Amino acid sequence: MAPVLAFERLPCVDGEVVTITINGRAHEVDARWTVAAALIAHGHTRCRCTPAGPARGPFCMSGVCFECLVDIDDTPNRQACMTPVAEGMQVVLRQDLRVLA
Amino acid sequence: MKELHPDVVVVGGGLVGLAIAEGLLRQKLRVTVCDEGDRAFRASRGNFGLVWVQGKGVNSAPYARLTSCSAQRWPDYARQLQRDSGIDPGHTRRGGLSLCLEADELAEKAAAMATLKRHTPGFDYEVLDAAGVRRFLPSASPDIAGGIFSPQDGHVNPLQTLHALLTSFEAQGGTYLPSCSVDDIQYQAGAFSLTAPGKCLQSARVVLAAGLGNARLAPLVGLHAPVVPVRGQVMITERVAPFLAYPTTSVRQTGEGTVQIGDSQERVGLDDGTLPETLAAMARRATALFPLLRSAQVVRTWGALRIMTPDGLPLYEESRSCPGAFVATCHSGVTLAAAHSEIIAPWIAGHASPTLLETFDGARFSV
């Protein structure tokens, strides 16, 4: 079984805070973060499923690997690492594959 | 142990080279493959993974027969590859479709398939209207003219296949030398000396399976391989729930849920980049065929150079001035992989040349 990664926030200068929801649960997160950073900070190192293997999550943190796809507000499968957080943002981690319609 | 004095050196470690090399191992020969490095052009990553029969060899009955023969061998070939490598090539053969937006396109294709049926009576196909296509692919647009379905078409995971081939080759004792681009080949007293950076190999037989590189290498051993690059661009979407149960010639969905969109054929020399205009045209056609693709996100695109001979048919030839040197090159390295392993390799190993191969001799290119 793949190891569960534990991330620790390093000391840094305090910044502004915004509130986002992850799977309906509200969290205060650093306004400078990307959605991927916010997910990892709150224990969501796996955020999507795949048809042929185990769950996956943010990996490259730079827009290349496309493993950090989550639903953000009304748009499905956005790259969490390329999206800065914003006040009131709703992030949903899919439990199933996106169905094209 | 790295074999620098094998029975055969295969120049080129792509789908063609490795399939032949693996087949040669089964002929009980010691085989070394010399491959370029990671930055080589590699047609092996520029294909659609189709193991395709329909439409192949309309102008050449022998090519139709070779294609059909290879496609029929593929299921057992895939099982053998998986047994020997532990890697599943992901081959399925449930049928495939080519789709047409316009009625005249469909009529042309239907006529071509009728000709193909005359060449290879065992070829099965159906001409379908839009409703017929949608029985196989419910998400196809109702506005298309129709398409051709053949139960004998299939597809495979091309990267897994390459991985399986290399793993199987090494597991059976083959030597694979990466970053070993062959600079020169000398023939003397029935033996070949190959020079690569920091290495010299000797063998009684050489197989040129270096794709576009064959053009440069062939004259070194008295052969002529007039191959040119044809670029294909591909778009890859995010992974979505399965909706395409059958592959088509320009849109297919992989087992991981990714949708792969082709298909372009461009003569742009050695440029393996992408062009927005071409990608846009591919996207327009793909969404005209499958409207629900409009909302799919494109994850990456790339271009790759494939191989084309003057008549589009494979080239398999033994050198007359340097016996023991062979060239093997083709456009459909995926479909023909089973034939390369099970028909071409035995011929290279010294078995009688199948009559089927006469058509593919390079003499046909001489003016």
Side-chain angles (χ1 to χ4, degrees), chain B residues 13-98:
Chain B
L15 283 165
V16 175
L18 283 175
I20 290 174
E22 206 251 349
L24 288 170
L25 282 182
R26 291 181 202 284
Q27 296 293 314
K28 308 291 186 238
L29 296 175
R30 288 169 308 125
V31 185
T32 294
V33 171
C34 292
D35 201 14
E36 288 192 286
D38 288 341
R39 304 293 283 175
F41 283 120
R42 297 203 179 284
S44 298
R45 60 166 168 76
N47 62 78
F48 225 52
L50 299 180
V51 183
W52 213 247
V53 169
Q54 66 163 282
K56 300 257 192 87
V58 175
N59 296 325
S60 165
Y63 185 48
R65 284 195 282 273
L66 180 66
T67 297
S68 167
C69 168
S70 192
Q72 272 172 38
R73 288 167 179 256
W74 245 105
D76 285 338
Y77 182 62
R79 276 188 281 274
Q80 177 183 269
L81 259 183
Q82 180 164 14
R83 255 194 331 265
D84 294 338
S85 69
I87 293 160
D88 182 5
H91 176 254
T92 58
R93 194 184 194 212
R94 300 174 55 238
L97 294 97
S98 60

Side-chain angles (χ1 to χ4, degrees), chain A residues 21-42:
Chain A
T21 63
I22 300 175
N23 283 352
R25 200 164 149 195
H27 297 282
E28 284 194 338
V29 301
D30 192 312
R32 298 165 294 188
W33 284 356
T34 62
V35 173
L39 288 172
I40 290 172
H42 291 282

Side-chain angles (χ1 to χ4, degrees), chain B residues 90-217:
Chain B
H91 176 254
T92 58
R93 194 184 194 212
R94 300 174 55 238
L97 294 97
S98 60
L99 302 181
C100 301
L101 291 168
E102 307 294 336
D104 53 3
E105 220 186 312
L106 184 60
E108 247 182 72
K109 266 211 168 54
M113 299 304 155
T115 305
L116 195 51
K117 179 102 186 163
R118 284 194 290 279
H119 292 328
T120 38
F123 170 56
D124 288 329
Y125 71 102
E126 281 178 70
V127 183
L128 303 165
D129 57 13
V133 168
R134 281 157 65 83
R135 279 196 294 276
F136 290 98
L137 300 169
S139 48
S141 165
D143 300 330
I144 66 174
I148 311 284
F149 172 79
S150 173
Q152 290 151 353
D153 290 328
H155 60 160
V156 79
N157 184 320
L159 296 179
Q160 292 288 72
T161 299
L162 190 63
H163 189 194
L165 274 170
L166 178 56
T167 304
S168 169
F169 175 68
E170 290 192 300
Q172 294 178 73
T175 295
Y176 172 75
L177 300 176
S179 299
C180 190
S181 183
V182 171
D183 297 319
D184 190 26
I185 309 175
Q186 297 285 327
Y187 175 72
Q188 199 172 21
F192 296 92
S193 293
L194 299 95
T195 322
K199 284 187 184 62
C200 189
L201 295 91
Q202 261 114 37
S203 61
R205 284 176 221 258
V206 163
V207 181
L208 303 184
L212 294 174
N214 284 340
R216 172 184 68 89
L217 292 166

Side-chain angles (χ1 to χ4, degrees), chain B residues 245-261:
Chain B
Y246 302 88
T248 75
T249 49
S250 60
V251 181
R252 78 178 257 265
Q253 189 171 23
T254 70
E256 293 87 21
T258 303
V259 179
Q260 189 176 9
I261 296 166

Side-chain angles (χ1 to χ4, degrees), chain A residues 48 50-52 56 64-67 69 75-78 97-101, chain B residues 238-243 255-257 259 291-293 295-300:
Chain A
R48 56 182 280 268
T50 69
R56 297 196 177 184
V64 173
C65 75
F66 285 86
E67 297 294 357
L69 302 181
T75 307
N77 281 349
R78 285 187 65 183
L97 290 168
R98 179 183 172 202
V99 176
L100 288 179
Chain B
E238 53 175 321
R239 294 170 187 174
V240 296
F243 71 97
E256 293 87 21
V259 179
L292 52 53
L293 278 176
S295 66
Q297 298 180 82
V298 174
V299 160
R300 61 183 62 88

Side-chain angles (χ1 to χ4, degrees), chain A residues 40-54:
Chain A
I40 290 172
H42 291 282
H44 298 286
T45 53
R46 293 188 192 128
C47 58
R48 56 182 280 268
C49 60
T50 69

